[in-house]
Amino acid sequence: MGLPTWPFSHPTNPTNPINPINPTNSLASFMSMGFVSISYQILYFPTIPTGLTQVKVTLLPKSYATTKKGGERMFCYQCEQTAKGEGCTKIGVCGKQPDVASLQDLLLYCVKGLSQVAAEGWKLGVWDDEANVFTCEALFSTLTNVNFDPDRFPPLINKAVELRDRLKEKITKAGGKSEFAQGPANFVPKATKEEMIAQGEKVGFLSDADEDPDVRSLKHTLIFGCRGIAAYADHAQILGKADPEVYRFLHEAMATTLKKDLTLQEAVDWVLRCGKVNLRTMELLDDAHTSTYGHPVPTKVPLGHKKGKAILVSGHDLKDLEELLKQTEDKGIYIYTHGEMLPAHGYPGLKRYSHFYGHYGTAWQNQQKEFAEFPGAILMTTNCIQKPKENYEKNIFTSGLVGWPQVQHIKDRNFEPVIKRALEMDGYPEDQEGKYVMVGFARNTILSVADKVIEAVKSGRIRHFFLVAGCDGAKPGRNYYTRFVELVPEDCVVLTLACGKFRFFDKDLGTIGDLPRLMDMGQCNDAYSAIQVAVALAQAFQTDVNSLPLSLILSWYEQKAVAILLTLLALGIKNIRLGPSLPAFITPNVLNLLVQQYNIKPISTPEEDLKSILG
Ligand code: SF4
């Protein structure tokens, strides 16, 4: 498909806004629902337009964007729960402390320096495998709810610089350019953590405050999308799947965010390229999962428990889970999944372990209550950790890129400490039957019954498909998704993936013929599966995805969701309903582009949205 052109005027010479506003009527519906975070200086836009007076306006001091004076100690606005819908400035709503925010900003800056060099190297066919893998690990470490441990960042910062300089030498030997007039390619980090924190304060997301706000918005979108790609690429690489072109894109994209002369059109192009590369990355991850563990098959997962010792595994990393299953065989310990690990039960290569029993709890944001009540050890693989409460901090362990200060970190997948803790704990005193849920409706399962699905649509037994998917979170507005699924008529099918499903995952929606009305396609990491099903159905009906009886009702929270959204846009998919709120890093002009080009809509009420979709 062709890339969209930029059809809108944008502010010139804005006076240092975070999100300067150039509202148009097409934005009114977002604004009237409080979907647009408007943070600008009144000098820039002195008159609030008629009809938009209900919009909450936050005036930021001019100094805010450059010096963080006035009590602000950090600035992060990468996720959906960002403070006041604008940005976390004192402490992250997620629990991220200002020192960690600064160290993450410095790490990103150093990765950009590494990428400046790597992008030059690629022109000569010179690259460094370790630097490529490291870049993904570093970017993944800055994703929401991954690494909160300040001590883990200085080694990463130093490593970025070491790999950068090693790559410079390789490029010099190959006759290429390894001198850079400016930018982080020349940056030298200080020796101590405290000094690095001070350096990080100067290179955060507000350090480019004098830049065109719409270009900056798109650059930040590109950075957050690349963080999502990095997460998927890291998971795929762990299972032996990688594509040099993904690494090349990440380096080129990171280097591009340093360009001062990037035009709006170029910035739009980069963001859509990010979506396309993310599709390739998700394909790699799908290949990694299915070639290692087989294609998921429909599987009944108990929500009850077995008498005996127990370990709970949360997060997304199937390799961690597999290694733990191997190391706990014949130890009298049952393994339970939590959160995004639920779909792991559908993989033949994992479900073959007889002590891999059931699922416990719901989505990540409920972990503090649920982990406290779990009578065994807990392993948090990537991502989404929250501050451990005192009543379970001795029971929880992290692995991979996840970190929390004082929480024991497992290196090299030696889970002995986790097993030891599980054996010390009480475990469950008796069997308890509970409900069951079904998983395993990934692309292979659904497409194996494609003829039945097509026949059901043609005969009118299936009127519409809803993909109700995305992240869960703590905001009360997310009850929308529960109510939406409850109201979906009986001649419609709900496909779901990612942790947003915990709003309705144990509901019995019955069947249409042999087909369940609620089908779990997997983790957020399995969004590729949903895209493949949509593309295959479009081919079968000889139409395009936008013409299918399919609606996307999405919820977002962190940066993997940003990458997936960019993929959907890059594929030209329209009419997405997105909630519970829109990203704070999107300016009104960029939002205008999304509305005009892709007809993205905010969720309204389940009743209104269903009526509007089904008529
Ligand atoms: Fe705030 Fe989200 Fe950033 Fe955490 S990740 S500091 S909650 S914007």
Side-chain angles (χ1 to χ4, degrees), residues 155 427 429 439:
V439 299

Side-chain angles (χ1 to χ4, degrees), residues 277-341:
V277 173
N278 185 53
L279 180 64
R280 169 65 184 140
T281 317
M282 290 194 298
E283 180 184 39
L284 280 175
L285 182 54
D286 179 275
D287 184 24
H289 283 161
T290 55
S291 63
T292 309
Y293 304 114
H295 282 278
V297 294
T299 302
K300 213 171 152 189
V301 183
L303 300 181
H305 54 250
K306 295 289 265 183
K307 179 181 176 180
K309 306 289 183 183
I311 295 177
L312 187 63
V313 187
S314 193
H316 303 75
D317 195 305
L318 299 189
K319 179 77 176 165
D320 279 354
L321 173 61
E322 181 193 17
E323 287 301 321
L324 182 69
L325 285 167
K326 281 183 192 164
Q327 292 173 34
T328 47
E329 263 188 311
D330 304 322
K331 288 211 159 49
I333 299 172
Y334 286 103
I335 305 296
Y336 299 81
T337 53
H338 178 267
E340 280 280 73
M341 272 297 175

Side-chain angles (χ1 to χ4, degrees), residues 485-498:
V485 168
E486 285 170 352
L487 290 177
V488 166
E490 288 185 358
D491 57 357
C492 300
V493 169
V494 176
L495 305 171
T496 190
L497 55 84

